[in-house]
Amino acid sequence: MQTGSMQDIAVIEDPAAAEVTLDPIRTRILRELVQPASATQLAVRVGLPRQKVNYHLKALERHGLVELVEERRKGNVTERVLQATAASYLISPAALAAVSPDPRRFADRFSAFWLLALAGRMVQEVGKLIAGAAAARQKLATFAIDGDITFRTAADRAAFAEELGVEITRLVDKYHDGVPSAGARRHRLVVALHPALKETSAPTATKESAPGKEQDT
């Protein structure tokens, strides 16, 4: 059972914390710690000595990626039970601030690089908003739509994009407060359209050649 302090998604902005999560063993430990566990329990699950697991846990705890849930007294030993601070993590472009993409550099609505830059900015900004809302114990007002569209031709895709742009512009003109009034709050609107990744089919089984024979090529 998850504790009340666990977030669904945490956005990592600290470069050192991001580096810690890139270690495959620590990634596995974080996945296991969606449910609270001790170093002894984790050692069995990940197949490592408890001392080595403790080493990784200290690094994760130092960067706020895991937290102490409880301490259990077992004879002369105190067992620490830890849990990940989030069920999943995203690394913010802020962790690579010096080389993160600047949306202003690629400002072209047909540029895939601009789309990525906008997506990176969204991760960074929404991550900070989630953290702020959690600290203030307030809900964060967001809205998203995700869907699939199959276009018969490239011309249909272009026509759809043009019509969507016109409709969005109309809605923005309708609801945008040109002279912000008291209590008004600025919002970002990002709309993206990109091809879906092609599904890879499972490789078909091939007959092995008999010993001593070569397969035809």
Side-chain angles (χ1 to χ4, degrees), residues 31-161:
R31 187 167 65 245
E32 293 291 342
L33 284 179
V34 170
Q35 301 295 335
S38 66
T40 301
Q41 292 170 321
L42 284 171
V44 174
R45 295 178 192 173
V46 302
L48 290 173
R50 184 174 57 82
Q51 292 82 356
K52 184 163 286 189
V53 170
N54 265 324
Y55 167 78
H56 291 300
L57 285 173
K58 287 178 181 177
L60 292 168
E61 190 174 10
R62 187 163 58 248
H63 292 286
L65 299 170
V66 303
E67 61 185 358
L68 181 66
V69 175
E70 63 173 316
E71 292 184 330
R72 300 170 182 164
R73 191 73 179 175
K74 289 191 174 182
N76 296 327
V77 178
T78 300
E79 185 179 60
R80 304 177 79 242
V81 178
L82 298 139
Q83 184 178 31
T85 53
S88 54
Y89 298 87
L90 281 176
I91 296 178
S92 169
L96 297 170
V99 291
S100 62
D102 181 356
R104 293 169 298 183
R105 179 184 171 193
F106 306 102
D108 174 0
R109 64 179 182 168
F110 296 110
S111 168
F113 299 110
W114 193 36
L115 190 156
L116 280 180
L118 292 174
R121 185 185 67 187
M122 184 182 298
V123 170
Q124 181 176 348
E125 292 186 349
V126 176
K128 289 182 178 180
L129 288 167
I130 288 174
R137 296 186 177 182
Q138 294 180 344
K139 289 186 177 181
L140 182 61
T142 61
F143 173 76
I145 295 176
D146 178 35
D148 289 315
I149 306 173
T150 301
F151 296 108
R152 191 174 290 107
T153 65
D156 285 350
R157 183 184 62 220
F160 172 83

